[in-house]
Amino acid sequence: MGLEFVYAQPVKIFFGEGKLAQLGSVLDELGVRRCVIACGKHFASEAEAMREKEPRIAAVFGAVEQNPQLAGVIETTRLARETGADAVIGIGGGSSIDTAKFAAAIALGDGEAIDYYHGEKPFPADRLTIIAVPTTAGTGSEVTQVSVVSHGTEKRTINNPAFMPKAAIVDPVLSSTVPPRTTMNTGLDAMAHALEGYWSRNHQPISDLMAIEAVRLILENLEAAYRDGSNMEARANMAYASLLGGLSFALPKTAGCHACSYPLSEDYHLPHGEACAFTLDSFVRINADERLERLCHRVGLSGTEELAERIAALKQLAGLRSRLSDLGEVDLDKLAHDCAVHGLMQNNPVKMDEAALRSMFEKLA
Ligand code: NAD
């Protein structure tokens, strides 16, 4: 069959150093009259300072945590409802953006967050405007219709057009304070998005282009951003790579490596990026084929083995956990089972059943 695809990308992207200072004109453009901010502790006082200067910011929920809990969504929704907000701004890593997305999607409904979380109530037809402002370079959540939220130990990924931001303000300056280890975790998450979008069974040509460029930028800039967080050229290139990574998996969706990240986060408490990185080099070897070889050549590598080695070296540089022995006591049967039954495993180009996953993990003993 000849070339055939459907491509759409609905988010208006404002990219550049210092862009957050133009929030007012973005609010004007989107017709926002009143909004609330959801952010983590690292940005809470800055968000309060923004509220003092910008009268349309009615309230700040400044306590979003890593692997965000539904409680943060409930609180953000309450603030949005009480203040009559017409927009929610998520400023932070994926955790804050995903909290903002969920709250914006349910604020105009009459149900409780838990009802929507468990799919017992359909998301309301109307929603608040979502503005995403990433402060890490990793998730690409600013351009996806995904929200990942936990309730207790359950971590749920919900895919819904209601979560798509209207605008993304990507200001690389905001990432200059990310600590080195989080820089590495999140940077490898972006690498996983690009590679998984590229090798997903649903890959498509425009997404592929962005994936290749994201991989190139990450290989050239992640180590520099890790070693010196104030290196703005590296930070800006990583912010761009993360955005491209988000765009490259937004339609094709991720695959085996992300499927494995869920049990690794839920049962062994690895942050999302570290959980993706845990199996990323293994999946590069497993999924090695002519297409992936072509990507490697386009980014200046000799082939897939070099790509796997570069990823392993980045993990080692930051001391990321990468062997089963780093995880404490591991129930290998459960781990292989939970990875095999995760829906994203179906997108992996090489079929991976429980036995194949067990053997992959055994090599990481
Ligand atoms: P995060 O949002 O959990 O942030 C990690 C830590 O870094 C937090 O403590 C945060 O407060 C801190 N932090 C963030 N920015 C900072 C900065 N500029 N300076 C100092 N500290 C800063 O991490 P993340 O990796 O960005 O997001 C992970 C979450 O996003 C996970 O829940 C993951 O499942 C989800 N995710 C969502 C999508 C999507 O499309 N919605 C895609 C991938 C991952």
Side-chain angles (χ1 to χ4, degrees):
M1 197 169 62
L3 193 60
E4 186 181 339
F5 60 86
V6 176
Y7 182 78
Q9 193 294 107
V11 186
K12 182 150 184 179
I13 299 162
F14 300 83
F15 186 99
E17 288 175 38
K19 277 282 172 214
L20 185 58
Q22 292 168 22
L23 176 67
S25 62
V26 176
L27 297 181
D28 290 344
E29 190 174 325
L30 299 179
V32 173
R33 287 175 292 106
R34 199 168 300 134
C35 57
V36 299
I37 291 179
C39 64
K41 283 203 183 81
H42 87 274
F43 200 80
S45 54
E46 216 159 320
E48 287 296 348
M50 285 168 67
R51 186 164 73 98
E52 277 167 27
K53 285 200 212 117
E54 171 52 72
R56 284 172 289 186
I57 300 173
V60 172
F61 172 64
V64 178
E65 292 173 340
Q66 292 196 50
N67 290 321
Q69 284 286 327
L70 197 61
V73 171
I74 294 170
E75 190 54 19
T76 307
T77 307
R78 185 185 67 75
L79 290 174
R81 285 176 175 161
E82 279 180 12
T83 59
D86 50 16
V88 184
I89 309 178
I91 307 184
S95 299
S96 298
I97 296 174
D98 288 359
T99 298
K101 285 170 156 185
F102 206 123
I106 66 172
L108 298 178
D110 55 6
E112 300 300 323
I114 191 78
D115 303 329
Y116 301 106
Y117 186 76
H118 286 308
E120 280 152 17
K121 235 176 154 33
F123 279 86
D126 293 327
R127 63 185 180 115
L128 307 184
T129 293
I130 300 166
I131 301 174
V133 185
T135 65
T136 59
T139 71
S141 176
E142 65 273 19
V143 288
T144 72
Q145 58 171 37
V146 174
S147 174
V148 188
V149 171
S150 296
H151 182 50
T153 55
E154 181 186 13
K155 182 173 175 179
R156 196 171 265 243
T157 297
I158 307 178
N159 212 302
N160 193 307
F163 295 143
M164 193 59 103
K166 270 230 172 78
I169 302 175
V170 187
D171 180 346
V173 174
L174 301 175
S175 65
S176 62
T177 49
V178 178
R181 193 182 170 99
T182 306
T183 299
M184 187 58 79
N185 286 343
T186 50
L188 288 173
D189 186 23
M191 174 79 98
H193 292 151
L195 288 174
E196 296 236 280
Y198 183 84
W199 67 45
S200 162
R201 284 175 183 266
N202 307 308
H203 68 83
Q204 55 123 305
I206 295 180
S207 307
D208 287 354
L209 275 179
M210 293 188 278
I212 295 166
E213 181 63 354
V215 172
R216 185 187 73 76
L217 287 165
I218 295 165
L219 288 172
E220 286 180 7
N221 293 280
L222 179 52
E223 182 171 342
Y226 168 81
R227 289 189 187 279
D228 175 9
S230 67
N231 177 339
M232 273 319 298
E233 190 186 340
R235 289 293 196 187
N237 283 330
M238 283 305 301
Y240 180 41
S242 169
L243 175 72
L244 292 176
L247 290 168
S248 52
F249 86 91
L251 293 178
K253 309 282 179 279
T254 52
C257 163
H258 270 77
C260 293
S261 78
Y262 285 85
L264 289 168
S265 281
E266 284 173 351
D267 294 340
Y268 303 99
H269 313 294
L270 298 188
H272 177 74
E274 189 170 2
C276 290
F278 195 89
T279 62
L280 187 57
D281 40 337
S282 301
F283 273 101
V284 167
R285 293 191 172 100
I286 289 165
N287 292 338
D289 64 1
E290 199 217 311
R291 278 189 78 245
L292 190 56
E293 198 72 18
R294 242 183 356 250
L295 175 146
C296 292
H297 294 155
R298 292 275 296 272
V299 301
L301 300 177
S302 57
T304 46
E305 186 51 34
E306 190 181 355
L307 177 59
E309 283 167 9
R310 289 284 298 272
I311 292 167
L314 287 166
K315 294 199 297 190
Q316 197 178 11
L317 176 68
L320 304 195
R321 286 159 281 188
S322 48
R323 312 221 58 96
L324 289 185
S325 54
D326 299 331
L327 302 182
E329 206 170 307
V330 173
D331 181 342
L332 195 50
D333 290 334
K334 181 175 186 306
L335 181 60
H337 171 80
D338 291 352
C339 295
V341 299
H342 194 283
L344 290 172
M345 196 56 80
Q346 301 299 322
N347 280 350
N348 203 62
V350 174
K351 190 171 157 29
M352 294 293 285
D353 59 13
E354 224 171 291
L357 287 159
R358 201 187 154 91
S359 128
M360 176 188 83
F361 281 117
E362 276 167 355
K363 290 192 187 121
L364 299 175

